[in-house]
Amino acid sequence: MRLPLSAFALACVAVLGMGGCSRQEEYPQAVRDEFIAGCIPAAKERVAGTVADPAELERLAKAYCECSLKGVMKAFSLKEFVELETVMKMGSPVDAATAKKLSAAISECQLVFQPKK
């Protein structure tokens, strides 16, 4: 399965909600900050047509990306994450098992974008 870096960001924008982060301490703050910074623009793009208020769009994108980061940190060790990021930056295909693991890690985060009832 081939996922370009933008697709990774969208994947992190499309799908989680796994509570605690057993591996959070392994992820340096700079890595977490970079993940969020890369995720937010893709998250905004994904829902830009459905959210008119820029402040609300920013809030939703940030909430989604923070949720996605938690899921990724729980599912992937830092070493695994760095390897995945490297593969994607090179434009190489991501194996099906890793893509499935990523999708599962962020699957509940899309609920952030659901309309409130």
Side-chain angles (χ1 to χ4, degrees):
M1 173 181 256
R2 183 182 189 105
L3 289 174
L5 189 56
S6 61
F8 178 68
L10 288 174
C12 294
V13 164
V15 224
L16 162 338
M18 302 189 149
C21 292
S22 62
R23 297 179 176 166
Q24 183 172 354
E25 64 282 352
E26 293 181 29
Y27 280 65
Q29 189 63 46
V31 172
R32 292 187 239 166
D33 292 345
E34 185 177 329
F35 181 96
I36 297 295
C39 177
I40 287 178
K44 286 180 178 179
E45 185 177 310
R46 179 173 181 258
V47 295
T50 62
V51 178
D53 179 26
E56 179 67 1
L57 180 61
E58 183 73 28
R59 185 192 71 73
L60 288 172
K62 185 175 181 186
Y64 177 82
C65 294
E66 288 172 352
C67 177
S68 295
L69 176 59
K70 287 178 184 177
V72 167
M73 289 189 303
K74 187 171 182 175
F76 295 91
S77 69
L78 178 60
K79 181 181 181 218
E80 292 170 326
F81 176 75
V82 169
E83 289 170 357
L84 174 61
E85 184 180 42
T86 300
V87 166
M88 296 180 82
K89 282 182 178 179
M90 291 175 22
S92 300
V94 174
D95 67 87
T98 301
K100 185 176 180 179
K101 184 177 178 180
L102 175 61
S103 180
I106 61 174
S107 64
E108 294 178 23
C109 290
Q110 66 188 355
L111 298 175
V112 168
F113 294 123
Q114 300 300 318
K116 295 179 183 170
K117 295 178 182 181

